Amino acid sequence: MAGRFVPRNTAVPRQEPGSGAGAASATSRTWTPPGPLDLRLVLSPLRRGPADPAFRALPDGTFWRATRTPAGPGTLRVSAAQGGTVSATAWGPGAQWLLDGLPALLGAGDTPDDFRPRHRLLALTQHRRPGLRLLRTGLVMESLIPSILEQKVTTDEAYRAWRLLVRTYGTPAPGPVGVTFGTHGLYVMPDARTWSLVPSWEWHRAGVDSKRSATILRAVRVARRMEEAAAMDLPEAMARLQLIPGIGPWTAAETLQRSNGAADAVTVGDLHLPGIVGHALAGNRNADDEEMLELLAPYEGQRHRATRLIMLSGHTPARRAPKMTPRDIARL
């Protein structure tokens, strides 16, 4: 079920100086999901840190997203409306593309009813989180680049790099975001050509080592081929992304979970996930990737959903070692 689609054109009130380009008009629609929907749970994987320049979650339950679509830059505002519907407004050249893709973004193509919990913890979490659906953006590079930045570093380091690079080389998002978010506003990430022109010292200033920056440069040179993975089945999509040296199973899975809504894309090679899954399902916090995959075998086809539910359960092992020490290569 795709839900109901009610499009309408609306005028946006006059904006003060500092508003994003294209703030003069907006397009809106409403959509009724086929079941319970928790916008925060669904959209949270798109957020790359508390100061993500391309995504904001407001206390009133409104979510803002700026992205680069095949039709051009666009800004999307999503909020829950009365009667279980979702209200969305978009600005910019990519506005209609974003609104057309709203149901997919919010998990219309997801099949949570296919998940059959074999462990009590997963059954309880699924019952307590009925609004969890797996999103699908249909955009590969949007998730691939920040996933590469997150390779083998702390999340704080990766978030800082993403924030600096997008604010420096991205473009202000269309719409009234300058008014809504103050000084910084939202930014649309750079296009492939702009990424390719980022000088080496700017990667260094953002704390990105040469291995990760080189991987991004290889990926943006074939961005069109990477984007084709959004329409592929999971095995083919995984293989396509891993043709790029420096992109392995971890990065490919993290990307396709978001771009393709891949319910079975397991994050293999993660420092913490095997121990979290092992602790939750077998009481073994020292589990490795092999044991994690054995424990998740009953959920084949839905293994990523199983790990999402485990993370949402809060049943994670207590930390036994200090956090990974951030490296500030910009000081070198």
Side-chain angles (χ1 to χ4, degrees), residues 166-307:
V166 173
R167 283 182 180 165
T168 302
Y169 292 98
T171 55
V177 291
V179 172
T180 305
F181 301 115
T183 304
H184 291 299
L186 287 183
Y187 285 79
V188 176
M189 80 169 197
D191 60 16
R193 183 175 183 276
T194 303
W195 280 116
S196 71
L197 296 176
V198 175
S200 60
W201 59 86
E202 290 288 359
W203 292 108
H204 187 80
R205 186 176 73 89
V208 181
D209 57 59
S210 59
K211 182 177 180 180
R212 286 179 291 152
S213 62
T215 300
I216 291 174
L217 293 177
R218 285 190 289 266
V220 298
R221 291 189 188 109
V222 290
R224 185 182 302 177
R225 299 285 286 168
M226 293 292 98
E227 292 292 356
E228 291 174 355
M232 295 178 177
D233 292 335
L234 181 59
E236 290 76 18
M238 290 285 291
R240 172 64 63 88
L241 267 57
Q242 291 179 82
L243 289 174
I244 302 297
I247 297 177
W250 185 93
T251 305
E254 288 287 311
T255 301
L256 297 173
Q257 289 164 5
R258 296 165 172 83
S259 64
N260 293 34
D264 200 44
V266 187
T267 303
V268 175
D270 191 82
L271 179 63
H272 303 292
L273 187 61
I276 292 171
V277 173
H279 175 75
L281 302 185
N284 178 16
R285 63 179 298 160
N286 298 313
D288 56 15
D289 279 333
E290 183 178 357
E291 181 169 353
M292 176 181 72
L293 292 175
E294 289 178 1
L295 291 169
L296 293 174
Y299 304 109
E300 186 171 1
Q302 296 276 324
R303 292 177 295 177
H304 170 53
R305 188 188 310 279
T307 62

Side-chain angles (χ1 to χ4, degrees), residues 22-43:
S25 62
T27 304
S28 299
R29 70 171 287 183
T30 59
W31 177 67
T32 303
L37 182 71
D38 186 322
L39 286 175
R40 189 171 297 276
L41 290 182
V42 174
L43 295 173

Side-chain angles (χ1 to χ4, degrees), residues 43-123:
L43 295 173
S44 62
L46 297 179
R47 181 174 179 259
R48 306 288 182 165
D52 186 344
F55 184 90
R56 299 290 170 86
L58 301 187
D60 64 0
T62 301
F63 299 84
W64 291 75
R65 174 187 178 221
T67 191
R68 187 170 296 279
T69 77
T75 302
L76 179 70
R77 181 180 65 195
V78 183
S79 61
Q82 292 183 347
T85 64
V86 173
S87 176
T89 304
W91 294 262
Q96 194 59 54
W97 191 94
L98 287 169
L99 293 179
D100 290 344
L102 181 70
L105 176 70
L106 299 182
D110 187 26
T111 55
D113 292 340
D114 291 348
F115 185 75
R116 296 289 184 269
R118 307 287 185 88
H119 296 80
R120 184 172 182 271
L121 176 70
L122 294 181

Side-chain angles (χ1 to χ4, degrees), residues 41 44-45 132 134 304-313:
L41 290 182
S44 62
L132 173 65
L134 302 182
H304 170 53
R305 188 188 310 279
T307 62
R308 281 291 308 273
L309 289 170
I310 289 170
M311 298 299 292
L312 290 171
S313 74

Side-chain angles (χ1 to χ4, degrees), residues 123-210:
L124 286 173
T125 307
Q126 184 183 38
H127 177 72
R128 291 169 179 168
R129 304 281 190 166
L132 173 65
R133 302 185 76 90
L134 302 182
L135 62 83
R136 181 185 183 278
T137 66
L139 299 170
V140 172
M141 297 304 294
E142 174 193 64
S143 294
L144 178 60
I145 291 175
S147 294
I148 294 171
L149 292 175
E150 292 173 7
Q151 293 176 349
K152 300 185 183 302
V153 296
T154 66
T155 53
D156 287 345
E157 290 175 273
Y159 293 159
R160 175 182 178 273
W162 173 250
R163 183 170 65 249
L164 289 176
L165 290 167
V166 173
R167 283 182 180 165
T168 302
Y169 292 98
T171 55
V177 291
V179 172
T180 305
F181 301 115
T183 304
H184 291 299
L186 287 183
Y187 285 79
V188 176
M189 80 169 197
D191 60 16
R193 183 175 183 276
T194 303
W195 280 116
S196 71
L197 296 176
V198 175
S200 60
W201 59 86
E202 290 288 359
W203 292 108
H204 187 80
R205 186 176 73 89
V208 181
D209 57 59
S210 59

